[in-house]
Amino acid sequence: MDMLTPDDLKPTTPDRTPADRNPATPAADRGRRRFSWSTLLLLVVLLGAGAGITAWWLRGPAVMTARIARGTAAEIVYATGAVEPETWSRTTPLVRGRIVERCRCEGKPVKAGDLLARLDDKEAQATLNDLRAQEDFQRHEFERQTQLLARGAATSQAYQRSESDLARVRAQIAAQTQRLDYYKLVAPMDGVVLKEDGEVGDMVDPGTILYRVGLERPLWVVADVNEEDIPRVKVGQKALLRTDAFGNQALPGTVKQITPAGDPIAKTFRVRIGLPDDTPLRVGMSVEANIVSREKADAVLAPANAVVNNTLLVIEGGRVHRRKVRLGIRGSAAVEVLDGAQEGELVASPATADIRDGERVRAIEPETSGP
């Protein structure tokens, strides 16, 4: 029989779970609260993104712009050419032969008639020696016929034949002597040897340019101009010259000559542009020339790429307005605006055809460099 203790007689209460000891919000309520906060945060993000997209859309697409400015309007005729001395000459052989001697005088002054190079003339010299031997024989034969004719032992026909043979040989000797000079290349003028080509041992043909002799100053640019542009080119017009050797430096020149006859195949005319004595350009340099056919100072200028069909895209109040303009001098980089636009106005540059009149845009102005 079990015995009861005093503790067994105390009233008992049911055991409490941890949840009973720590009363809290039910799980369903906690889940609903977490869902509400995350939804609210997502809505805020979406609303912000929507507002940004709406603001971007309302501002319109980005457009590069430039401002109408004042400056010098210039109409340009483009040409390409090379620098040459105004006075110079080429030296070429008249016969085919092998170079046996050359002066190695490139860059040195020479006088007219100075020997520059010599070709192998052994065969020509042998021919001359043979003709001189024939001359000696024909001369003795002529003297003999003269004596025989004086004694009446020869006919006049034999005498005349010997006289003719002697004259023929002497003419051949004179021609061959002259021909020997063809194997010598001499300076055609006083000047400087600008360029020397060919080496000892090279075979050269008639017409091969071996020497260029001329004056180092003055120089000019011999350029080709398209036939459709030549009516705008006049003697005395200024030109701006550029070459890779001097980067973006614009060098001055002046139109001095225009050939009266053009090339019907290339459809170009030759124009000679004079250079100042202090020009840094050198003989043989390739040059791009911009001949200024018309010029006007203090003109209202718009970028050339901003004009399409005599229309500018003017930006005012964040919107595009198509505006017809009247143009004057048209240059490669800028055009003169005679009417329809004012200095300081903002225009799309380059103009884009997909922008509608009145459309809202975001103007992006080019950065201006500081002083």
Side-chain angles (χ1 to χ4, degrees), residues 192-244:
V192 175
V193 178
L194 303 172
K195 190 175 182 182
E196 181 180 16
D197 292 319
E199 294 291 340
V200 173
D202 290 350
M203 288 294 297
V204 292
D205 294 317
T208 303
I209 301 175
L210 296 181
Y211 290 89
R212 293 168 173 83
V213 179
L215 303 179
E216 294 182 294
R217 290 290 187 275
L219 302 177
W220 58 17
V221 174
V222 180
D224 292 325
V225 176
N226 290 334
E227 61 181 14
E228 63 266 23
D229 295 328
I230 201 64
R232 295 187 286 148
V233 180
K234 308 295 180 185
V235 173
Q237 290 175 342
K238 72 176 184 179
L240 300 177
L241 311 173
R242 296 185 186 276
T243 180
D244 292 339

Side-chain angles (χ1 to χ4, degrees), residues 296-309:
K296 181 180 177 182
D298 197 31
V300 177
L301 301 178
N305 61 4
V307 181
V308 178
N309 298 326

Side-chain angles (χ1 to χ4, degrees), residues 26 46 67 145 154 164 204 240 303 316 328 366:
L46 291 177
R67 290 198 177 273
Q145 290 295 330
S164 175
V204 292
L240 300 177
E316 294 177 340

Side-chain angles (χ1 to χ4, degrees), residues 258-332:
I258 303 172
T259 54
D263 186 340
I265 297 177
K267 297 183 178 181
T268 58
F269 280 74
R270 185 166 295 168
V271 175
R272 290 179 170 87
I273 302 170
L275 301 175
D277 289 339
D278 60 350
T279 181
L281 295 175
R282 297 186 179 184
V283 175
M285 282 186 172
S286 59
V287 173
E288 293 181 346
N290 288 325
I291 302 172
V292 182
S293 60
R294 282 200 299 163
E295 193 172 22
K296 181 180 177 182
D298 197 31
V300 177
L301 301 178
N305 61 4
V307 181
V308 178
N309 298 326
N310 293 344
T311 300
L312 288 173
L313 299 180
V314 182
I315 300 175
E316 294 177 340
R319 294 185 181 275
V320 170
H321 302 280
R322 292 184 179 271
R323 188 186 299 174
K324 283 287 185 180
V325 292
R326 187 164 60 92
L327 303 178
I329 296 176
R330 297 173 182 260
S332 58

Side-chain angles (χ1 to χ4, degrees), residues 72-324:
T72 300
E75 187 177 71
I76 300 299
V77 173
Y78 179 78
T80 58
V83 180
E84 295 182 2
E86 289 192 14
T87 305
W88 71 294
S89 178
R90 302 178 180 90
T91 301
T92 65
L94 299 178
V95 295
R96 189 172 190 271
R98 186 182 304 278
I99 299 175
V100 294
E101 182 182 344
R102 59 194 292 262
C103 67
R104 299 190 181 277
C105 51
E106 196 171 60
K108 298 179 180 179
V110 292
K111 296 291 185 181
D114 287 353
L115 181 66
L116 301 177
R118 188 168 59 85
L119 305 182
D120 187 359
D121 60 355
K122 291 179 181 178
E123 291 185 6
Q125 190 66 50
T127 301
L128 179 60
N129 293 336
D130 181 64
L131 289 173
R132 284 175 175 167
Q134 294 181 38
E135 179 196 23
D136 187 61
F137 172 80
Q138 292 298 336
R139 181 168 50 79
H140 285 88
E141 179 63 18
F142 176 71
E143 291 175 352
R144 189 177 71 86
Q145 290 295 330
T146 300
Q147 294 174 359
L148 290 175
L149 182 63
R151 294 195 300 265
T155 62
S156 60
Q157 289 85 356
Y159 171 80
Q160 292 174 357
R161 184 168 55 253
S162 64
E163 183 182 29
S164 175
D165 289 344
L166 178 60
R168 176 178 53 81
V169 170
R170 286 177 172 173
Q172 290 176 343
I173 290 174
Q176 187 63 20
T177 302
Q178 179 67 35
R179 183 177 174 82
L180 281 174
D181 290 338
Y182 297 164
Y183 291 84
K184 299 177 182 178
L185 277 72
V186 299
M189 58 176 288
D190 294 350
V192 175
V193 178
L194 303 172
K195 190 175 182 182
E196 181 180 16
D197 292 319
E199 294 291 340
V200 173
D202 290 350
M203 288 294 297
V204 292
D205 294 317
T208 303
I209 301 175
L210 296 181
Y211 290 89
R212 293 168 173 83
V213 179
L215 303 179
E216 294 182 294
R217 290 290 187 275
L219 302 177
W220 58 17
V221 174
V222 180
D224 292 325
V225 176
N226 290 334
E227 61 181 14
E228 63 266 23
D229 295 328
I230 201 64
R232 295 187 286 148
V233 180
K234 308 295 180 185
V235 173
Q237 290 175 342
K238 72 176 184 179
L240 300 177
L241 311 173
R242 296 185 186 276
T243 180
D244 292 339
F246 298 101
N248 294 326
Q249 184 179 359
L251 303 173
T254 305
V255 177
K256 296 189 70 173
Q257 291 183 11
I258 303 172
T259 54
D263 186 340
I265 297 177
K267 297 183 178 181
T268 58
F269 280 74
R270 185 166 295 168
V271 175
R272 290 179 170 87
I273 302 170
L275 301 175
D277 289 339
D278 60 350
T279 181
L281 295 175
R282 297 186 179 184
V283 175
M285 282 186 172
S286 59
V287 173
E288 293 181 346
N290 288 325
I291 302 172
V292 182
S293 60
R294 282 200 299 163
E295 193 172 22
K296 181 180 177 182
D298 197 31
V300 177
L301 301 178
N305 61 4
V307 181
V308 178
N309 298 326
N310 293 344
T311 300
L312 288 173
L313 299 180
V314 182
I315 300 175
E316 294 177 340
R319 294 185 181 275
V320 170
H321 302 280
R322 292 184 179 271
R323 188 186 299 174
K324 283 287 185 180

Side-chain angles (χ1 to χ4, degrees), residues 18-27 29-30:
D20 295 331
R21 292 191 301 267
N22 299 301
T25 305
D29 292 341
R30 292 196 303 272

